[in-house]
Each structure stands twice: as structure tokens, then as C-alpha cells.
Amino acid sequence: GAVVSQHPSWVICKSGTSVKIECRSLDFQATTMFWYRQFPKQSLMLMATSNEGSKATYEQGVEKDKFLINHASLTLSTLTVTSAHPEDSSFYICSARGETVEGNYGYTFGSGTRLTVV
Amino acid sequence: DAKTTQPPSMDCAEGRAANLPCNHSTISGNEYVYWYRQIHSQGPQYIIHGLKNNETNEMASLIITEDRKSSTLILPHATLRDTAVYYCIVRASYDKVIFGPGTSLSVIP
């Protein structure tokens, strides 16, 4: 089945630095990828939609200059948290959308990245 | 906005069937019912989806009412590893996935 690899699985960084998270679709081409964040005991919140070769679309309230998304190829999207602060500490999850044999659009999720900003 | 309503939590005895309900009274004709689950500190995992017919796979069964306004996910023989948050999501095939609060299922020994 479809597999999405997310790296790193956890990262600790100092306040003010930037952190990059990678999301790769391993065995299918994903023209569209999604980025979510999840705080403890809460549900996943969609941050942005990234389309290969074009600018990402951000959900209301998400700062595009803080959360930089690049979708340079059909198998790779990256999320960079710039000038990280402790309040950016969260669980970040990516998802890739690929067309199934049946013609539906299946969504596969990465395993998530735990970001801790100290 | 999430288009579904689920109970916040449920318990189930190990080995028994877990029946998780979901209300989606405003579902449109082109929208599917999807179920995902999230085990603690992992990414969501696809379970099953359906349009109007009941569906079964190796993980679960999905029962959709005739008017499509509600559905039930059935885990036939719950194990401790089924403890997770279960999300019922209604969306058209191409739509992005928007998560609601889900149901926290605890399987009890």
C-alpha cells in the first residue's frame, strides 16, 4: 500500500532557530500534500495544502511566513518552522493524496514529527 | 468545519465488538464516509470508507443507514491495540481531510 515517510520523527531546537520537516511519498506520486499540527489532547488541525510546483494554500490563522512549505517534486514536500518559539512545540503530521486504482483519492499520513522548542 | 458528531469517549471489553457511532445528517450525495484512527503519538491510519453500501475489510465493518445520515464502525473483536482515537470524516473524493474531535476508544482487559 501507499507509504508516506516523515522525517525526523522528533526534533529539539533552540528558540529562534529554524527547523525543516520532510514528507515523502515512497511508492506513489502525490501532486498534493497536506500539513497538520496537533497539540496535546486535541485533534489534528489542517495548516496548509501544498501542490507540486505552486505556492501552498494556508488555512485561516496560519502564518505563511512562519511556516514555509515547499513542494518541489511529486514525492517531496517540506515544512520549515522559522524562528521557532516554545509555543510552536507541537506534533506535525503530513499527508499525501494519491489516486487509487479505483479512481478515488486516497490519503496516506506520515508518522508525525514531535517538535520541542526550548 | 467537521460535518460529523461522535461521542467523545467509549469503553469496550477486550474480545468484544466495538461499535462506534457517527452522525452526519448533512451529508451530500457525493460525499463518502471515511474512518481513520490515531494511536497515541502516531499519524492517522485509514480504516475503511463507504458511500452508501455497507463495507467490510480485514480491519472493520462499516454500516451506513439507508438515509446515510449516520453510520457505525464495527471492530468485531477488539484488542488492546485498538485503543485509539477514531475519527469519522465525511468528504467528497477530492476534498481535503478535516478532523473533528473523534471518539477516544479504550479497550479494557
Side-chain angles (χ1 to χ4, degrees):
Chain A
V3 176
V4 170
S5 173
Q6 192 171 338
H7 179 81
S9 56
W10 61 270
V11 58
I12 301 173
C13 73
K14 291 185 177 180
S15 189
T17 62
S18 296
V19 174
K20 180 184 286 188
I21 302 169
E22 291 187 349
C23 180
R24 294 180 184 272
S25 57
L26 296 187
D27 49 4
F28 67 101
Q29 293 185 332
T31 55
T32 304
M33 291 187 177
F34 305 87
W35 288 95
Y36 297 82
R37 67 188 297 183
Q38 184 177 34
F39 292 109
K41 299 190 183 300
Q42 295 186 22
S43 186
L44 289 80
M45 184 193 78
L46 180 65
M47 299 174 66
T49 301
S50 84
N51 294 295
E52 185 263 338
S54 63
K55 290 184 178 180
T57 302
Y58 291 82
E59 297 295 309
Q60 191 174 9
V62 178
E63 299 176 59
K64 62 179 181 180
D65 295 330
K66 180 167 187 61
F67 299 100
L68 301 180
I69 293 172
N70 183 278
H71 193 159
S73 77
L74 287 172
T75 60
L76 174 64
S77 177
T78 61
L79 168 68
T80 301
V81 182
T82 63
S83 187
H85 291 285
E87 56 265 32
D88 298 323
S89 297
S90 188
F91 192 51
Y92 292 86
I93 303 164
C94 71
S95 173
R97 179 168 69 194
E99 187 168 359
T100 66
V101 173
E102 296 82 10
N104 293 325
Y105 288 87
Y107 294 72
T108 304
F109 291 83
S111 55
T113 297
R114 176 76 57 191
L115 170 64
T116 302
V117 184
V118 297
Chain B
D1 292 336
K3 303 176 183 178
T4 62
T5 304
Q6 300 177 250
S9 64
M10 293 181 63
D11 291 338
C12 177
E14 187 178 16
R16 304 297 292 269
N19 297 282
L20 291 88
C22 179
N23 288 322
H24 31 80
S25 59
T26 61
I27 190 170
S28 300
N30 66 337
E31 291 180 322
Y32 292 76
V33 179
Y34 283 80
W35 283 84
Y36 296 83
R37 74 179 182 184
Q38 185 181 25
I39 296 171
H40 182 62
S41 294
Q42 297 183 23
Q45 176 190 23
Y46 165 82
I47 300 173
I48 198 168
H49 77 283
L51 184 61
K52 54 183 178 181
N53 297 323
N54 298 336
E55 302 289 343
T56 296
N57 62 21
E58 64 278 4
M59 289 183 66
S61 295
L62 173 61
I63 307 299
I64 302 174
T65 58
E66 193 168 342
D67 63 8
R68 302 213 316 131
K69 293 184 177 182
S70 65
S71 61
T72 302
L73 177 74
I74 301 173
L75 308 178
H77 306 285
T79 70
L80 299 180
R81 287 176 293 181
D82 293 321
T83 293
V85 178
Y86 287 77
Y87 298 98
C88 170
I89 292 165
V90 163
R91 65 171 178 88
S93 181
Y94 202 73
D95 284 349
K96 51 194 175 185
V97 180
I98 302 298
F99 290 86
T103 295
S104 178
L105 175 68
S106 296
V107 180
I108 302 168

